[in-house]
Amino acid sequence: MTRPLALITGATAGIGAQFCRSLAARGYDLVGVARDGARLDALATELAPLGATLTPLVADLSTDDGIARVESTLADGHVSLLVNNAGFGTTGTLVSADATQQRAMLTLHVEAVHRLTRAALPGMLAARRGGVIVVASVAGFLSSGGNVNYCATKTWQRVFVQGLHQELAGSGVHVQALCPGFTTTEFHARMGFDQRGRTPAWMWYPAEFVVRASLDAIARGGPVIVIPGAVYKAVVFLARHLPLWMVERLNGVYRRDTV
Ligand SMILES: NC(=O)c1ccc[n+]([C@@H]2O[C@H](COP(=O)([O-])OP(=O)(O)OC[C@H]3O[C@@H](n4cnc5c(N)ncnc54)[C@H](OP(=O)(O)O)[C@@H]3O)[C@@H](O)[C@H]2O)c1
């Protein structure tokens, strides 16, 4: 029997690498997308004993060329699960942070997610089955100084998925915005920011926990928004239900001490 095929962006580390491990264990073959080819090869070797083939696809998704190469892989219609996961954070204010990196974030979090999802859906709709997961964030319900572009792009991802969910009703294709809080990955170290030293241990979840919540939900066909962990369900509940002036105070607590 042929194994279903999943394409995961940001497959070399953290949540994306965990998606690869968990999907391999659930019977998928994989296309892993990232910039670091050596790490993709190492992951392919690690997953082979599970009977899973991981095909490395080296692409920088903050470039037009990188996005176009992944689009053309998706266009053949063989991918039944797309995980738009690649992402990064920055430190500094909108004005003080590196402008090139800020533009790269817009391309990676918004344009790449838009184009790859658009490329994957026709094949899924024709087959009347499939799924698209976008790894957004609890930050997609918040706004924060020191995190302006990150919160805005994560909000775009969440709203994009919620709208798409309505368009795809009854099509057999499921979409999900996965909205984790602090997750133990390389994310904060890559930013050069010691978030772990500044936040209590109970606010951190392992990538395995986050990915299990996502895959269990998409296997059930819903819900469209998945927020792993009681801590972050509570944060989002407050952000959506408190009066606006109180939400602004909450955002102030979240404000990153890096500006
Ligand atoms: N960790 C958290 O606390 C947290 C919380 C909420 C949401 N998230 C979201 O979760 C997602 C995954 O983050 P993570 O925590 O797993 O971070 P991570 O451990 O730093 O992994 C990020 C992955 O994205 C890839 N990537 C980054 N820029 C890329 C680019 N331009 N083109 C292609 N691939 C790129 C990296 O691979 P290469 O370097 O090899 O390209 C790596 O595989 C992100 O969208 C992030 O916003 C994370």
Side-chain angles (χ1 to χ4, degrees):
M1 221 172 78
T2 9
R3 294 164 68 97
L5 186 62
L7 186 146
I8 298 98
T9 71
T12 47
I15 295 171
Q18 184 59 47
F19 263 111
C20 292
R21 294 186 178 103
S22 300
L23 285 166
R26 291 178 188 223
Y28 279 79
D29 280 337
L30 311 159
V31 179
V33 181
R35 293 163 300 182
D36 188 333
R39 287 185 85 178
L40 288 174
D41 291 342
L43 189 59
T45 306
E46 178 196 323
L47 298 180
L50 294 175
T53 302
L54 182 145
T55 306
L57 176 46
V58 176
D60 182 345
L61 293 173
S62 66
T63 67
D64 185 54
D65 172 63
I67 298 171
R69 271 183 296 121
V70 183
E71 276 178 318
S72 66
T73 296
L74 289 164
D76 72 12
H78 291 129
V79 169
S80 59
L81 179 65
L82 167 65
V83 184
N84 284 299
N85 161 77
F88 68 96
T90 54
T91 54
T93 64
L94 187 67
V95 172
S96 70
D98 179 69
T100 309
Q101 266 212 317
Q102 296 296 312
R103 282 200 303 276
M105 183 183 283
L106 285 171
T107 309
L108 181 62
H109 291 182
V110 178
E111 185 179 351
V113 170
H114 171 228
R115 284 173 58 182
L116 300 191
T117 303
R118 178 67 184 78
L121 280 176
M124 294 180 188
L125 288 168
R128 294 199 58 78
R129 68 191 160 82
V132 177
I133 296 168
V134 179
V135 184
S137 172
V138 160
F141 293 93
L142 304 170
S143 60
S144 149
N147 234 343
V148 168
N149 213 17
Y150 187 77
C151 290
T153 55
K154 291 294 165 181
T155 302
W156 181 90
Q157 293 182 339
R158 172 180 63 80
V159 174
F160 173 75
V161 169
Q162 286 185 282
L164 204 49
H165 174 65
Q166 293 172 25
E167 291 187 358
L168 294 173
S171 71
V173 180
H174 301 292
V175 283
Q176 176 192 104
L178 174 62
C179 299
F182 291 133
T183 309
T184 317
T185 67
E186 297 176 12
F187 183 89
H188 295 94
R190 284 178 188 239
M191 284 164 56
F193 186 68
D194 178 22
Q195 186 72 58
R196 258 207 108 96
R198 295 166 192 243
T199 31
W202 53 263
M203 292 186 78
W204 290 82
Y205 288 94
E208 199 177 355
F209 173 82
V210 167
V211 169
R212 193 183 320 121
S214 168
L215 291 179
D216 287 353
I218 202 118
R220 290 194 304 270
V224 60
I225 304 281
V226 172
I227 303 164
V231 174
Y232 295 105
K233 284 184 177 68
V235 168
V236 170
F237 180 86
L238 292 174
R240 293 182 70 92
H241 293 93
L242 288 177
L244 266 180
W245 68 269
M246 284 191 195
V247 174
E248 280 308 306
R249 290 270 174 91
L250 190 69
N251 283 326
V253 173
Y254 175 57
R255 179 179 190 275
R256 196 143 18 73
D257 185 20
T258 57
V259 291

